DNA sequence: CAAAGCATGTAAATAGTTACATGATTTA
DNA sequence: TAAATCATGTAACTATTTACATGCTTTG
């Protein structure tokens, strides 16, 4: 019932101009999803939550027969957001990657199968880099030109992260190609 | 009811010698938790699941009055694990980091507050590096000497990742110190 | 104008965390 | 020997995903 990280993501996007659940979803998909996933049902239920708490105010604005609600921050909502942004409690970074997990247990596998996984990791990093370079960064640069600078900074974090991962995968791929079983870690 | 990633983590640790839920927890805390979190209740319920499915076999081995169950892989369990390890479906890397989220929305904050967050990110990376260097890597090297090479490889991934993050934080810290508001992304 | 995709959600199922309980073992 | 910590779990709560429903808009 209380507020959680998701609440502040929703408040944050409302603050910079999103009005509907769908607009929040679009904005999140193009930016924050790389370090915080948020699915549509979470957004919509969070909006209801926040309205009950008086942090957003919604009004009905149907498109024809289709129901539709637009929201805006209240003064209390803006304040709650800024207070949260100021807080500096311990914050845990969490990574979940089934691919690394498979690699962790890969000693149970014949060497031939393992190289394939590493190649898949490399390709995944390449795909992500494309997404960043074609979609995420250009959009963040626009935002930057509009006077909001931190979306570009955090997007560059994502971009740099995947560049690092690509490099790591390539190095491991090379080492495995040289000496299939006794690989030795890259570094 | 079906098997999920957690199932295979449990099978994987049983395969390399863990016998109880607690031993699995200990092993996971010292290795896979950096790319796959798994809490005690998940482990215990997963063990029951796997037993029903015939992939592990458990027997009671109480310590005094305290109940206690030890498990081992069945042949079917070993096979299920290896089949999963071989599979190469699409695998999504997921990151969740409230600190990056705060940084993303930091344009709503006075510049003074922001530097503190970046410093906290740097210190977090430093702490993680210590954990890797003092605990995780030494243990993985032991495992490596015992003929299992992939735990060291994946642990090196974690180590390298946090080294990269430390570098990124330090660079951003410097740029913010120079020009507080108009920061420009590190890269 | 039919099909595909965009926009707007909800219900039900699954996954995961928190808080607790309890006995054994170690340590101050 | 009391307090702390290790070991072994469970119940209840919270968070998240999946699958669906439905009307509007664009496009072949």
């Amino acid at each position: 019932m209380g507020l959680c990280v998701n609440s502040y993501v929703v408040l944050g996007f409302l603050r910079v101009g999103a009005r509907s659940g769908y607009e929040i979803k679009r904005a999140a998909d193009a930016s924050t999803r790389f370090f915080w996933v948020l699915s549509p049902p979470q957004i919509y239920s969070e909006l209801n939550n926040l309205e009950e708490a008086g942090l957003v105010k919604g009004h009905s604005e149907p498109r024809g027969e289709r129901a539709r609600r637009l929201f805006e921050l209240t003064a209390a909502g803006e304040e709650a957001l800024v207070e949260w942004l100021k807080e500096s409690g311990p914050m845990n970074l969490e990574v979940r990657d089934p691919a690394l997990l498979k690699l962790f247990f890969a000693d149970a596998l014949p060497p031939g199968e393992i190289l394939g996984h590493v190649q898949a990791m490399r390709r995944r990093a390449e795909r992500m880099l494309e997404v960043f370079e074609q979609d995420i960064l250009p959009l963040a640069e626009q935002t930057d030109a509009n006077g909001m600078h931190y979306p570009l900074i955090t997007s560059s974090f994502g971009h740099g992260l995947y560049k690092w991962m690509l490099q790591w995968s390539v190095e491991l791929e090379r080492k495995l190609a040289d000496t299939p079983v006794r690989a030795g870690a890259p570094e």
Side-chain angles (χ1 to χ4, degrees), chain A:
Chain A
M1 269 300 119
L3 303 194
C4 60
V5 176
N6 292 342
S7 318
Y8 298 105
V9 181
V10 168
L11 291 175
F13 280 116
L14 287 175
R15 180 173 172 282
V16 297
R19 295 166 307 156
S20 67
Y22 189 72
E23 284 178 8
I24 294 173
K25 173 206 178 308
R26 293 292 297 269
D29 277 351
S31 57
T32 51
R33 86 164 136 126
F34 300 103
F35 41 86
W36 196 267
V37 301
L38 198 53
S39 64
Q42 285 175 293
I43 294 170
Y44 290 112
S45 75
E46 200 54 52
L47 282 168
N48 293 333
N49 241 329
L50 292 169
E51 189 172 35
E52 260 187 70
L55 302 182
V56 307
K57 190 175 35 139
H59 65 281
S60 199
E61 195 144 324
R63 298 288 264 180
E65 289 301 289
R66 197 79 179 85
R68 177 180 181 234
R69 308 186 66 207
L70 300 186
F71 296 86
E72 53 190 49
L73 280 188
T74 63
E78 170 113 20
E79 196 190 320
L81 173 61
V82 172
E83 283 317 303
W84 178 75
L85 285 176
K86 283 182 181 169
E87 269 172 37
S88 66
M91 282 173 286
N92 287 339
L93 170 64
E94 210 175 284
V95 177
R96 18 182 70 210
D97 183 1
L100 277 172
L101 209 49
K102 286 193 185 189
L103 199 56
F104 180 86
F105 290 114
D107 287 287
L109 233 41
E113 310 268 0
I114 300 174
L115 186 58
H117 284 319
V118 179
Q119 287 167 341
M121 286 179 70
R122 171 178 53 75
R123 282 195 302 271
R124 178 178 70 179
E126 285 166 351
R127 273 198 314 279
M128 294 301 296
L129 280 176
E130 265 185 58
V131 173
F132 271 90
E133 285 163 15
Q134 296 187 2
D135 304 338
I136 311 298
L137 287 177
L139 201 134
E141 264 151 27
Q142 251 181 261
T143 309
D144 191 70
N146 274 18
M148 287 190 50
H149 306 306
Y150 288 91
L152 179 56
I153 291 175
T154 45
S155 298
S156 300
F157 177 95
H159 184 236
L161 179 65
Y162 282 104
K163 277 208 329 214
W164 178 83
M165 279 196 219
L166 174 57
Q167 214 180 292
W168 187 86
S169 308
V170 167
E171 274 176 49
L172 180 55
E173 229 178 302
R174 258 204 296 274
K175 293 204 183 173
L176 288 182
D178 286 358
T179 61
V181 181
R182 184 68 192 75
E187 157 80 7

